[in-house]
Amino acid sequence: MRIAHTMIRVVDLERSLRFYEKALGMRVLRRTDYPEGRFTLAFVGYGNERDTAVLELTHNWDTKHYDMGGAFGHVAIEVDDATGACERVTAAGGRVTRPAGPMKHGTTVIAFVEDPDGYKIEFVERRAA
């Protein structure tokens, strides 16, 4: 068994795709419209779906707002440079909610940003070997 993907619902698919591609460096792996169901699925990630976990962005055509709820935490992405990753997000028009720095009660460097729908994304800086 392995984790295949995590699904999140997005209000504006094109805006979300721009964020995940431009700010986070992901690529669209596949995208399918389902006119009868009035939704689109777009899968984004850093590698082949057979080898890596990816994100499924679900766009329900008639939904204009989602409540975040209290159960979802964040998606974590390992990066070489958390500060540089935050700078890319800012340059792409994204929002940094916690600048890069050591985590509370630890030494791992982390940062948090938000995607256009308000989902939290954590950058975890890769430790030197």
Side-chain angles (χ1 to χ4, degrees), residues 98-112 122:
R98 189 231 194 245
M103 63 181 279
K104 189 175 184 179
H105 310 296
T107 59
T108 302
V109 174
I110 63 170
F112 280 90
E122 178 185 23

Side-chain angles (χ1 to χ4, degrees), residues 7-10 13-14 17 30-35 37-43 56-61:
M7 185 276 276
I8 58 176
R9 292 177 177 89
V10 300
L13 183 59
E14 298 308 319
L17 289 173
R30 62 185 165 106
R31 176 181 175 159
T32 308
D33 293 324
Y34 295 87
R38 301 194 51 73
F39 68 95
T40 300
L41 302 181
F43 291 80
E56 173 188 333
L57 306 180
T58 298
H59 171 61
N60 293 299
W61 300 354

Side-chain angles (χ1 to χ4, degrees), residues 6 8 20 55 70-77 97 110-114 118-124:
T6 296
I8 58 176
Y20 283 95
L55 289 177
F72 177 79
H74 62 269
V75 172
I77 298 174
T97 59
I110 63 170
F112 280 90
V113 301
E114 285 184 355
Y119 290 104
K120 303 282 188 218
I121 299 165
E122 178 185 23
F123 293 140
V124 180

